Amino acid sequence: MNEFLQGGLYGGGIIVAIMSSLLFVLWTERKMAARMQSRIGPTFTDPLGFLQAPADVLKLLQKEDIIPEKADRALFNNAPLLGATVAIAGAAVVPFSATIVGADLEVGVLYLLAVGALGVLPVFAAGWGSNNKFALLGAMRAIAQSVSYEVPLVLAALVPVILAGSMKLSDIVAYQSSHHWLVVWPFFLGIPAFGLFMLAMLAESNRIPFDIPEAESELVAGITTEYTGMKFGLFYMAEYLHTVIASAVASALFLGGYDGPIAPGLWWMVLKTGLLVVAIYWLRWSLLRFRSDQLMALCWRWLVPSGVVLVVGAAVWVVFAG
Amino acid sequence: MPSGLALLAFLLVAVAVSGSLLVASKILRVVSTRKEPLKHATYECGEVPTGLAWMRFHARYYVVALFFVLFDIETAFLLPWATIVREAGARGLVAVGSFVVVLMLGWAWATKKGALQWQ
């Protein structure tokens, strides 16, 4: 029972903290994108535009709820809730400092991959439930892309598991703080695995340069075409949550997590996660999108075999040199 | 399973937080009293929608799904070994290595057949 209460309390704190950080993430992204395009970004709500994101939330809360008459109501109405929940669920096993962790599972990495794979269900529920051709096409592309990139993602995540000898995320961070961060040593395994992880993660969460499922010039808005108000808001939120949490996971697996000199662990974790999030948005506003067939070919012909080579390489390194 | 309970609590909180947003929107949102038949029609860029969207998919999606199952099972086999690579030593490496080689032979064949092309 104590365990249950503790999980709930930590969970509440972590979830509220991440969700509030989203307001800051949104602001950073909009301002950054504006500067990159020689605009000034939101200024209407206050001179810095900081209240724009809360204002957007209020707007979404007040919007009329329109359910298409031909939709499958059960799927259509529950998909946003499931999508947001699955996106948050990943944060449960991420150690934000030596003590702040929702549920430090023995099978942390496996759990993360399971949650990641579960993410295709709300997408399909939304696409099929909307009974809209754009939504369905978007959902099918998203699923094909997500399941394909799941494979290199798992293979990249196996490298830290092999080196640390544990699937528990706090063990992996502890291994890195007692040895080296994985991108520092052995860097010939750590840096490619980190790159592969980030690439697969971007594709799995359908971000640019892999955002074909919601290519607005051909698919309107993909799976969110028929959604209004807060149901749309939950999908939108899930997308940002996914980026933030996946960045936190990447920093725990490859960048030493909460390990760092002088400042307390939580600060380091926030700093590393923040830098990765900024890098992702930098990419988003710099690159164009790929074509579907190029994306699939890239994954199955290049990324999967390189992932396998990395895993075998890590194992050989551990057995003969580590 | 002590940490299973903590995880359950975390997930319940996650559902509650995202659910509370939906409840808040239910309270705050405007409700239109006007009857507009087109408002609830499926969106097809302003045209009158034709037919349902529930139709057959292209077969290439099934090929992708098959490959996913294949490689996902491979990684499911690799995961338990990954935690004990040091203990399993060279013998484990040979065993897993031969498994991976067989799998990648299949991958090479599929590449040659063009099954990995998105067409």
Side-chain angles (χ1 to χ4, degrees):
Chain A
M1 203 59 214
N2 267 337
E3 198 79 40
F4 187 76
L5 281 178
Q6 197 200 341
L9 279 175
Y10 274 69
I14 292 172
I15 290 169
V16 169
I18 292 180
M19 284 200 164
S20 341
S21 78
L22 283 192
L23 299 178
F24 189 67
V25 168
L26 269 166
W27 178 81
T28 316
E29 192 204 352
R30 297 180 83 155
K31 280 294 182 191
M32 207 168 80
R35 296 289 158 186
M36 290 170 84
Q37 298 173 339
S38 305
R39 296 183 284 118
I40 49 174
T43 53
F44 190 76
T45 49
D46 61 303
L48 281 176
F50 204 77
L51 293 175
Q52 186 66 49
D56 281 346
V57 174
L58 270 180
K59 178 197 74 179
L60 284 174
L61 281 173
Q62 296 173 68
K63 288 242 171 184
E64 188 185 352
D65 185 35
I66 298 172
I67 303 170
E69 56 190 351
K70 294 210 175 101
D72 182 329
R73 296 178 79 97
L75 286 179
F76 184 82
N77 288 330
N78 290 316
L81 184 63
L82 185 62
T85 309
V86 165
I88 304 173
V93 293
V94 180
F96 289 94
S97 85
T99 47
I100 305 173
V101 51
D104 204 6
L105 298 183
E106 290 290 337
V107 288
V109 173
L110 186 60
Y111 167 82
L112 279 174
L113 304 172
V115 167
L118 212 60
V120 303
L121 285 182
V123 171
F124 191 66
W128 186 260
S130 302
N131 199 353
N132 177 308
K133 285 156 195 154
F134 297 114
L136 187 68
L137 275 176
M140 289 309 285
R141 287 190 190 179
I143 291 166
Q145 184 176 322
S146 293
V147 298
S148 298
Y149 278 83
E150 181 82 7
V151 175
L153 190 76
V154 179
L155 291 171
L158 272 178
V159 170
V161 172
I162 288 173
L163 288 165
S166 171
M167 282 195 261
K168 199 171 171 176
L169 260 81
S170 57
D171 281 356
I172 292 174
V173 175
Y175 169 85
Q176 293 181 75
S177 55
S178 65
H179 294 70
H180 292 94
W181 299 359
L182 284 191
V183 288
V184 176
W185 181 258
F187 61 85
F188 44 86
L189 293 170
I191 291 175
F194 176 59
L196 187 61
F197 186 89
M198 291 303 285
L199 208 63
M201 183 273 273
L202 283 176
E204 221 217 338
S205 53
N206 308 326
R207 309 248 36 159
I208 281 183
F210 307 114
D211 71 332
I212 297 160
E214 44 190 301
E216 64 274 5
S217 45
E218 41 187 288
L219 284 179
V220 189
I223 58 163
T224 53
T225 304
E226 292 287 1
Y227 281 93
T228 55
M230 207 56 219
K231 285 182 194 152
F232 166 78
L234 281 183
F235 273 118
Y236 198 65
M237 193 185 78
E239 202 178 299
Y240 280 84
L241 277 175
H242 199 289
T243 310
V244 171
I245 292 172
S247 304
V249 170
S251 33
L253 286 180
F254 298 99
L255 302 181
Y258 52 77
D259 177 51
I262 310 165
L266 184 60
W267 293 30
W268 281 102
M269 192 64 184
V270 170
L271 176 72
K272 288 170 189 173
T273 308
L275 284 178
L276 285 183
V277 169
V278 167
I280 288 169
Y281 289 128
W282 195 336
L283 280 180
R284 178 177 182 192
W285 292 98
S286 310
L287 297 180
L288 298 170
R289 83 174 56 98
F290 281 83
R291 241 172 34 217
S292 246
D293 59 325
Q294 294 171 328
L295 192 72
M296 290 305 188
L298 175 71
C299 174
W300 289 109
R301 302 181 63 134
W302 300 106
L303 297 186
V304 167
S306 8
V308 170
V309 168
L310 269 177
V311 165
V312 173
V316 169
W317 166 260
V318 162
V319 169
F320 294 109
Chain B
M1 276 295 284
S3 41
L5 275 177
L7 178 66
L8 181 67
F10 190 99
L11 294 182
L12 286 177
V13 173
V15 176
V17 171
S18 16
S20 68
L21 283 170
L22 285 182
V23 173
S25 91
K26 193 152 202 147
I27 297 165
L28 288 175
R29 75 182 167 218
V30 292
V31 180
S32 159
T33 47
R34 268 178 53 194
K35 276 274 178 196
E36 280 275 7
L38 278 179
K39 190 196 273 178
H40 295 276
T42 306
Y43 177 72
E44 280 187 11
C45 302
E47 297 289 318
V48 177
T50 51
L52 297 179
W54 296 335
M55 47 189 161
R56 289 182 292 174
F57 310 130
H58 198 290
R60 62 194 176 191
Y61 289 110
Y62 294 92
V63 180
V64 171
L66 272 178
F67 270 111
F68 167 67
V69 171
L70 202 69
F71 277 89
D72 214 39
I73 291 177
E74 176 222 354
T75 49
F77 281 130
L78 288 183
L79 265 167
W81 161 76
T83 55
I84 54 152
V85 173
R86 216 165 257 118
E87 291 83 350
R91 247 185 95 218
L93 203 59
V94 170
V96 170
S98 48
F99 168 65
V100 169
V101 164
V102 171
L103 190 91
M104 291 318 280
L105 280 178
W107 172 85
W109 183 76
T111 314
K112 198 157 163 278
K113 278 281 194 184
L116 299 176
Q117 301 278 7
W118 183 248
Q119 273 312 323

